[in-house]
Amino acid sequence: MTYTYIPVGVCSRQITVTLGEDEIIENVEFVGGCSGNTQGVAKLCIGKKASEVIDLLKGIDCNGKGTSCPDQLAIALSEALEEY
C-alpha cells in the first residue's frame, strides 16, 4: 500500500510511504527538505515496522518549529496505518 502525505510546517513538500506485509516499511520518499537528512531517515526506515518508526520519530523538533521532517514522517505513517 502506498500513501502520500503533504507535510505541514517543514521544508519538505511531500512524503510518500509504501507499507508491505505486516506493516513493514518498503519505501519512503521525501520531496524537498534537506536532501541528505531526508535520504538518511528514509533509508533507516526500510525494513522496520511502521509502529516502531513512529515511536522513534514522533515529536522530533527542527529549530523550534514544533515539528520536523522525521516528525511529519511519523504522522504520515500513523495516517497510513489507519488506512492499511
Side-chain angles (χ1 to χ4, degrees):
M1 169 217 174
T2 299
Y3 183 79
T4 300
Y5 175 77
I6 304 302
V8 176
V10 296
C11 299
S12 72
R13 298 179 307 278
Q14 180 176 302
I15 302 171
T16 303
V17 297
T18 304
L19 299 179
E21 194 173 311
D22 296 324
E23 302 173 355
I24 300 297
I25 299 169
E26 293 180 347
N27 193 40
V28 176
E29 292 180 27
F30 286 85
V31 174
C34 303
S35 181
N37 291 334
T38 55
Q39 286 181 62
V41 168
K43 285 199 180 259
L44 290 169
C45 294
I46 305 302
K48 293 189 170 40
K49 280 192 81 92
S51 58
E52 176 186 349
V53 173
I54 292 166
D55 290 342
L56 289 170
L57 301 181
K58 187 176 179 181
I60 292 176
D61 182 71
C62 179
N63 293 324
K65 293 179 183 177
T67 191
S68 64
C69 289
D71 182 56
Q72 290 292 298
L73 174 56
I75 294 167
L77 288 168
S78 295
E79 290 185 8
L81 286 178
E82 288 177 17
E83 289 191 12
Y84 187 75

